């Protein structure tokens, strides 16, 4: 499994590749130390799924681990309604739909399809304002599909030694900034 990429890295990598290293370094032990309040409440949004108490329906998969052999990705889905083919990723509050969010959903989609499920609809759900955001399937959005694959390749090719952060705004809102020697602050 060493060569597998965690699905969550797709979003982290786009924000800043170095943040992946901090995730690995601190893991879950230091969650409270290194997460800001937004991220903690975001985790709370997923708590019901992680504890598998969102639904008792047998045709709803919740928080299960998935793997895509094709892309070398491993991670967890949020909620998949098997009967309707609807894959939903809930977030505390969605203000923008970043590419990294979409790539995570793509990864879950491909993994489920490889596992033999039919996924016909992928979407985000913003819990605070109870809004759904439907996302085009990868086969319906060529540009995003190409970006998805190039991001995976960029993660595999990434060299920390050669990386230089150039966007100070990212460092200003980065939870790892106090511990990061690549930061611009
Ligand atoms: S402080 Fe800046 S360089 Fe360091 S992980 Fe955060 S965004 Fe990246």
């Amino acid at each position: 499994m060493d060569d597998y990429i965690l699905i969550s890295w797709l979003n982290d990598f786009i924000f800043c590749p170095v943040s992946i290293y901090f995730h690995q370094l601190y893991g879950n032990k230091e969650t409270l130390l290194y997460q800001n309040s937004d991220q903690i409440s975001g985790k709370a949004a997923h708590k019901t799924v992680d504890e598998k108490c969102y639904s008792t329906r047998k045709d709803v998969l919740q928080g299960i681990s998935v793997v895509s052999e094709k892309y070398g990705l491993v991670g967890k889905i949020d909620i998949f309604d098997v009967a309707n083919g609807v894959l939903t990723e809930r977030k505390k509050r969605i203000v923008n739909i970043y590419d990294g969010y979409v790539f995570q959903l793509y990864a879950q989609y491909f993994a489920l399809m490889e596992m033999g499920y039919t996924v016909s609809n992928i979407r985000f759900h913003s819990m605070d304002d109870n809004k759904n955001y439907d996302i085009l399937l990868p086969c319906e959005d060529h540009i995003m599909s190409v970006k998805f694959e190039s991001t995976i390749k960029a993660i595999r090719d990434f060299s920390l030694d050669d990386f230089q952060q150039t966007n100070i705004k990212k460092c200003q809102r980065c939870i790892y900034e106090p511990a990061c020697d690549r930061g611009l602050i």
Side-chain angles (χ1 to χ4, degrees), residues 15-20 22 163 165 167-168 170-178 180-185:
F15 174 70
C16 174
V18 184
S19 69
I20 291 175
F22 282 112
F163 176 77
Q165 178 58 272
N167 186 344
I168 192 170
K170 290 192 174 184
C171 301
Q172 284 167 340
R173 54 193 181 91
C174 176
I175 55 175
Y176 301 118
E177 191 279 326
C180 180
D181 65 356
R182 308 295 171 114
L184 297 175
I185 298 174

Short mmCIF file of all heavy atoms in Angstrom, two decimals, residues 15-20 22 163 165 167-168 170-178 180-185, ligand 1:
data_model
loop_
_atom_site.label_atom_id
_atom_site.label_comp_id
_atom_site.label_asym_id
_atom_site.label_seq_id
_atom_site.Cartn_x
_atom_site.Cartn_y
_atom_site.Cartn_z
N PHE A 15 -3.96 22.72 -2.05
CA PHE A 15 -3.78 23.85 -1.12
C PHE A 15 -2.29 24.11 -0.94
O PHE A 15 -1.80 25.21 -1.18
CB PHE A 15 -4.44 23.56 0.22
CG PHE A 15 -4.15 24.62 1.24
CD1 PHE A 15 -4.71 25.88 1.11
CD2 PHE A 15 -3.29 24.37 2.30
CE1 PHE A 15 -4.41 26.88 2.04
CE2 PHE A 15 -2.99 25.35 3.22
CZ PHE A 15 -3.56 26.61 3.09
N CYS A 16 -1.56 23.10 -0.54
CA CYS A 16 -0.10 23.20 -0.43
C CYS A 16 0.46 21.79 -0.24
O CYS A 16 0.09 21.10 0.70
CB CYS A 16 0.31 24.07 0.75
SG CYS A 16 2.11 24.07 1.00
N PRO A 17 1.38 21.37 -1.10
CA PRO A 17 1.92 20.01 -1.00
C PRO A 17 2.56 19.72 0.36
O PRO A 17 2.52 18.59 0.83
CB PRO A 17 2.97 19.96 -2.11
CG PRO A 17 2.56 21.01 -3.08
CD PRO A 17 1.91 22.09 -2.26
N VAL A 18 3.13 20.76 0.98
CA VAL A 18 3.81 20.53 2.26
C VAL A 18 2.82 20.09 3.33
O VAL A 18 3.17 19.36 4.27
CB VAL A 18 4.55 21.81 2.71
CG1 VAL A 18 5.35 21.56 3.98
CG2 VAL A 18 5.48 22.31 1.61
N SER A 19 1.58 20.53 3.21
CA SER A 19 0.59 20.20 4.24
C SER A 19 0.39 18.68 4.34
O SER A 19 0.05 18.18 5.41
CB SER A 19 -0.74 20.91 3.98
OG SER A 19 -1.37 20.39 2.82
N ILE A 20 0.63 17.96 3.27
CA ILE A 20 0.51 16.49 3.32
C ILE A 20 1.53 15.92 4.31
O ILE A 20 1.23 15.02 5.09
CB ILE A 20 0.73 15.88 1.92
CG1 ILE A 20 -0.44 16.24 1.02
CG2 ILE A 20 0.89 14.37 2.01
CD1 ILE A 20 -0.27 15.79 -0.42
N PHE A 22 2.78 17.40 6.88
CA PHE A 22 2.37 17.68 8.26
C PHE A 22 1.25 16.76 8.69
O PHE A 22 1.22 16.32 9.84
CB PHE A 22 1.96 19.14 8.39
CG PHE A 22 3.13 20.07 8.46
CD1 PHE A 22 3.41 20.94 7.43
CD2 PHE A 22 3.97 20.05 9.57
CE1 PHE A 22 4.51 21.79 7.49
CE2 PHE A 22 5.07 20.88 9.64
CZ PHE A 22 5.34 21.76 8.59
N PHE A 163 10.48 22.28 -3.63
CA PHE A 163 9.27 23.10 -3.51
C PHE A 163 9.54 24.42 -2.81
O PHE A 163 10.20 24.48 -1.77
CB PHE A 163 8.19 22.34 -2.71
CG PHE A 163 6.96 23.17 -2.46
CD1 PHE A 163 6.03 23.37 -3.46
CD2 PHE A 163 6.75 23.76 -1.21
CE1 PHE A 163 4.90 24.15 -3.24
CE2 PHE A 163 5.63 24.54 -0.98
CZ PHE A 163 4.70 24.73 -1.99
N GLN A 165 7.11 27.72 -1.62
CA GLN A 165 5.79 28.35 -1.57
C GLN A 165 5.90 29.77 -2.12
O GLN A 165 6.88 30.48 -1.85
CB GLN A 165 5.30 28.38 -0.11
CG GLN A 165 3.95 29.04 0.11
CD GLN A 165 2.82 28.41 -0.70
OE1 GLN A 165 2.57 28.82 -1.84
NE2 GLN A 165 2.14 27.45 -0.11
N ASN A 167 2.77 31.72 -2.44
CA ASN A 167 1.51 32.41 -2.14
C ASN A 167 1.38 32.61 -0.64
O ASN A 167 0.98 31.70 0.10
CB ASN A 167 0.35 31.57 -2.69
CG ASN A 167 -0.99 32.27 -2.55
OD1 ASN A 167 -1.10 33.24 -1.80
ND2 ASN A 167 -1.98 31.78 -3.26
N ILE A 168 1.69 33.81 -0.19
CA ILE A 168 1.67 34.07 1.25
C ILE A 168 0.26 33.95 1.84
O ILE A 168 0.08 33.63 3.01
CB ILE A 168 2.27 35.46 1.57
CG1 ILE A 168 2.53 35.61 3.06
CG2 ILE A 168 1.37 36.58 1.06
CD1 ILE A 168 3.34 36.83 3.44
N LYS A 170 -1.86 31.68 1.35
CA LYS A 170 -2.07 30.31 1.81
C LYS A 170 -1.45 30.11 3.20
O LYS A 170 -2.05 29.51 4.07
CB LYS A 170 -1.50 29.31 0.80
CG LYS A 170 -2.29 29.28 -0.50
CD LYS A 170 -1.91 28.11 -1.35
CE LYS A 170 -2.83 28.04 -2.56
NZ LYS A 170 -2.59 26.86 -3.39
N CYS A 171 -0.25 30.62 3.36
CA CYS A 171 0.41 30.47 4.66
C CYS A 171 -0.37 31.21 5.76
O CYS A 171 -0.42 30.75 6.90
CB CYS A 171 1.84 30.99 4.59
SG CYS A 171 2.86 30.14 3.37
N GLN A 172 -0.98 32.32 5.38
CA GLN A 172 -1.71 33.10 6.38
C GLN A 172 -2.92 32.35 6.91
O GLN A 172 -3.40 32.65 8.01
CB GLN A 172 -2.15 34.44 5.77
CG GLN A 172 -1.00 35.43 5.66
CD GLN A 172 -1.32 36.63 4.79
OE1 GLN A 172 -2.24 36.59 3.96
NE2 GLN A 172 -0.55 37.69 4.95
N ARG A 173 -3.46 31.43 6.14
CA ARG A 173 -4.61 30.69 6.66
C ARG A 173 -4.30 29.20 6.82
O ARG A 173 -5.19 28.37 6.82
CB ARG A 173 -5.85 30.93 5.82
CG ARG A 173 -5.72 30.67 4.36
CD ARG A 173 -6.89 31.23 3.58
NE ARG A 173 -6.75 30.93 2.17
CZ ARG A 173 -7.22 29.85 1.58
NH1 ARG A 173 -7.92 28.99 2.26
NH2 ARG A 173 -7.04 29.65 0.29
N CYS A 174 -3.02 28.91 7.00
CA CYS A 174 -2.60 27.50 7.12
C CYS A 174 -2.41 27.14 8.59
O CYS A 174 -1.71 27.83 9.33
CB CYS A 174 -1.29 27.30 6.37
SG CYS A 174 -0.64 25.63 6.56
N ILE A 175 -3.02 26.04 8.99
CA ILE A 175 -2.91 25.61 10.39
C ILE A 175 -1.51 25.12 10.74
O ILE A 175 -1.16 25.05 11.91
CB ILE A 175 -3.92 24.47 10.70
CG1 ILE A 175 -3.74 23.31 9.71
CG2 ILE A 175 -5.34 25.00 10.68
CD1 ILE A 175 -4.62 22.13 10.04
N TYR A 176 -0.70 24.80 9.74
CA TYR A 176 0.64 24.28 10.02
C TYR A 176 1.70 25.37 10.03
O TYR A 176 2.88 25.09 10.25
CB TYR A 176 1.02 23.22 8.97
CG TYR A 176 0.06 22.08 8.95
CD1 TYR A 176 -0.69 21.79 7.83
CD2 TYR A 176 -0.13 21.28 10.08
CE1 TYR A 176 -1.59 20.74 7.81
CE2 TYR A 176 -1.03 20.23 10.08
CZ TYR A 176 -1.75 19.96 8.94
OH TYR A 176 -2.65 18.93 8.92
N GLU A 177 1.30 26.58 9.77
CA GLU A 177 2.27 27.67 9.61
C GLU A 177 3.25 27.78 10.79
O GLU A 177 4.46 27.91 10.57
CB GLU A 177 1.53 29.00 9.37
CG GLU A 177 2.43 30.14 8.93
CD GLU A 177 3.15 30.78 10.08
OE1 GLU A 177 2.57 30.85 11.19
OE2 GLU A 177 4.31 31.20 9.89
N PRO A 178 2.77 27.66 12.04
CA PRO A 178 3.72 27.81 13.15
C PRO A 178 4.84 26.78 13.12
O PRO A 178 5.93 27.01 13.64
CB PRO A 178 2.84 27.63 14.40
CG PRO A 178 1.46 27.96 13.95
CD PRO A 178 1.39 27.48 12.53
N CYS A 180 5.98 25.26 10.22
CA CYS A 180 6.46 25.04 8.86
C CYS A 180 7.67 25.92 8.53
O CYS A 180 7.60 27.15 8.69
CB CYS A 180 5.33 25.33 7.87
SG CYS A 180 5.83 25.09 6.16
N ASP A 181 8.72 25.30 8.02
CA ASP A 181 9.90 26.09 7.64
C ASP A 181 9.84 26.54 6.19
O ASP A 181 10.77 27.16 5.70
CB ASP A 181 11.18 25.32 7.92
CG ASP A 181 11.31 24.08 7.06
OD1 ASP A 181 10.36 23.78 6.29
OD2 ASP A 181 12.35 23.41 7.14
N ARG A 182 8.75 26.20 5.49
CA ARG A 182 8.58 26.67 4.11
C ARG A 182 7.62 27.86 4.04
O ARG A 182 7.37 28.39 2.97
CB ARG A 182 7.98 25.56 3.21
CG ARG A 182 8.72 24.25 3.27
CD ARG A 182 10.10 24.44 2.70
NE ARG A 182 10.90 23.25 2.94
CZ ARG A 182 11.34 22.47 1.99
NH1 ARG A 182 11.05 22.75 0.74
NH2 ARG A 182 12.08 21.43 2.27
N GLY A 183 7.06 28.22 5.17
CA GLY A 183 6.08 29.30 5.19
C GLY A 183 6.69 30.64 4.83
O GLY A 183 7.91 30.84 4.97
N LEU A 184 5.86 31.56 4.39
CA LEU A 184 6.34 32.87 3.96
C LEU A 184 6.11 33.97 5.00
O LEU A 184 6.37 35.12 4.74
CB LEU A 184 5.64 33.26 2.64
CG LEU A 184 5.94 32.34 1.45
CD1 LEU A 184 5.10 32.75 0.25
CD2 LEU A 184 7.43 32.39 1.11
N ILE A 185 5.60 33.58 6.17
CA ILE A 185 5.33 34.60 7.19
C ILE A 185 6.54 34.75 8.10
O ILE A 185 7.05 33.76 8.59
CB ILE A 185 4.07 34.23 8.00
CG1 ILE A 185 2.87 34.19 7.07
CG2 ILE A 185 3.84 35.24 9.12
CD1 ILE A 185 1.60 33.69 7.73
S1 LIG B 1 2.79 27.39 6.06
FE1 LIG B 1 2.70 27.79 3.85
S2 LIG B 1 4.29 26.46 2.97
FE2 LIG B 1 3.87 25.70 5.03
S3 LIG B 1 2.34 24.08 4.79
FE3 LIG B 1 1.24 25.99 5.20
S4 LIG B 1 0.76 26.87 3.18
FE4 LIG B 1 2.36 25.32 2.90
#
